[in-house]
Amino acid sequence: PNGLHVVTAQYGLGCYERWLSGEGEQWLHAAVAAARQLTDIQADDGSWTHRIDLPHTFPLRAPWRSAMAQGEATSLLVRVFQETGETSFASAARAALDPMSKPRADGGVCAQLDGDVWLEEYPTDPPSYVLNGAIFALWGLRDAAVGLRDDAAKDAFATSLSALAANLWRFDTGWWSLYSLYPHPVRNVASSFYHDLHINQLTAMQRLCPREEFQTTCARWEQYSRSALNCRRAFAAKAGFRLLVPRKGRLTGRVIRR
């Protein structure tokens, strides 16, 4: 219960995908078990609260919440509800939407980015604006809108989708993508893994909700990846970033108990 709840959600989603691919009913059972674990530890306000400090990259003291965890848990709960018909999963998914509509100061996971609502994977102060986490969170809103026919989720998805499209330019260095916009001593250039993930996420977004910003940014970032010079520059930039902002180890910080 004190770990990263996104791990449970991702495990459940992975199990569900294996079931969809025809690998056996045991994978659906595992996805249901992961969803049930999440519902068992969901807080009354709909959040999955981390009660241990995050010790690296972003300064987060417990307790804290994550839009990415909220979104991916919602994605899992909606899928499991559709397969089992158990309304408790749908109720938990709807409850998970509430923190995704509130600012950090009110116990939520939203920040403002030049007047737009941004879903925060790490709700820091000042905001971190992590790109991949915001997109994963967005997909949770869409899954609730489609799978549960939830109007609030539909409206929140439309708002956050527009914010993503309007602010993608901020993550473009002119030769690579940024992981986040947090004001570290140097820019947090994406690793090659996350740069490729950004491209894949934007490709998926373009298929789901076509926007010129998604298409042009994706094409530009793919072009960056084809340059050996850019790849070496990104590696050097990331290495320099880690010298100034080192990883401090595992989740071994203080635990906050109720």
Side-chain angles (χ1 to χ4, degrees):
N2 291 317
L4 292 174
H5 302 304
V6 71
V7 174
T8 304
Q10 289 179 348
Y11 170 77
L13 288 167
C15 291
Y16 182 82
E17 290 299 315
R18 297 191 73 165
W19 173 71
L20 276 184
S21 68
E23 296 186 41
E25 289 296 311
Q26 70 271 21
W27 291 110
L28 178 59
H29 297 325
V32 172
R36 207 174 301 282
Q37 180 180 340
L38 288 169
T39 59
D40 287 345
I41 62 174
Q42 188 177 27
D44 292 341
D45 66 356
S47 71
W48 286 277
T49 306
H50 300 85
R51 300 192 174 278
I52 191 167
D53 297 342
L54 185 73
H56 66 78
T57 307
F58 301 105
L60 273 176
R61 288 288 185 179
W64 59 280
R65 300 159 181 83
S66 168
M68 181 171 165
Q70 296 295 131
E72 293 198 327
T74 299
S75 293
L76 174 62
L77 291 167
V78 169
R79 285 162 171 75
V80 169
F81 163 67
Q82 289 179 322
E83 299 303 331
T84 66
E86 291 188 35
T87 57
S88 61
F89 294 127
S91 298
R94 287 193 173 93
L97 301 175
D98 193 47
M100 299 176 76
S101 65
K102 295 179 179 179
R104 174 183 179 274
D106 295 334
V109 291
C110 292
Q112 289 288 312
L113 181 55
D114 196 22
D116 293 316
V117 175
W118 190 269
L119 296 170
E120 286 275 83
E121 178 180 355
Y122 303 111
T124 54
D125 184 17
S128 51
Y129 305 119
V130 175
L131 179 57
N132 84 90
I135 296 175
F136 281 128
L138 259 172
W139 288 343
L141 292 176
R142 183 183 184 277
D143 287 342
V146 174
L148 303 180
R149 298 181 180 179
D150 189 284
D151 289 338
K154 181 180 179 181
D155 292 342
F157 175 73
T159 298
S160 294
L161 184 73
S162 295
L164 173 65
N167 289 289
L168 272 178
W169 64 271
R170 300 178 187 274
F171 295 87
D172 195 321
T173 68
W175 53 273
W176 206 256
S177 65
L178 293 174
Y179 178 83
S180 77
L181 303 182
Y182 187 84
H184 292 293
V186 294
R187 292 189 299 181
N188 192 356
V189 173
S191 66
S192 58
F193 172 86
Y194 278 104
H195 183 73
D196 288 344
L197 177 60
H198 293 160
I199 292 169
N200 290 332
Q201 286 182 313
L202 291 180
T203 298
M205 290 301 297
Q206 182 64 12
R207 291 174 180 171
L208 292 171
C209 306
R211 294 285 185 99
E212 182 181 356
E213 295 91 340
F214 301 151
Q215 184 176 16
T216 57
T217 303
C218 186
R220 190 163 55 250
W221 290 357
E222 285 179 327
Q223 184 177 17
Y224 296 164
S225 296
R226 290 192 289 269
S227 167
L229 178 60
N230 286 347
C231 291
R232 289 194 294 269
R233 184 177 178 183
F235 179 84
K238 196 66 180 182
F241 174 82
R242 277 299 167 206
L243 287 174
L244 291 172
V245 187
R247 293 186 182 277
K248 297 183 177 66
R250 293 184 173 182
L251 289 172
T252 54
R254 63 193 179 97
V255 174
I256 304 296
R257 303 201 183 274
R258 296 189 180 201

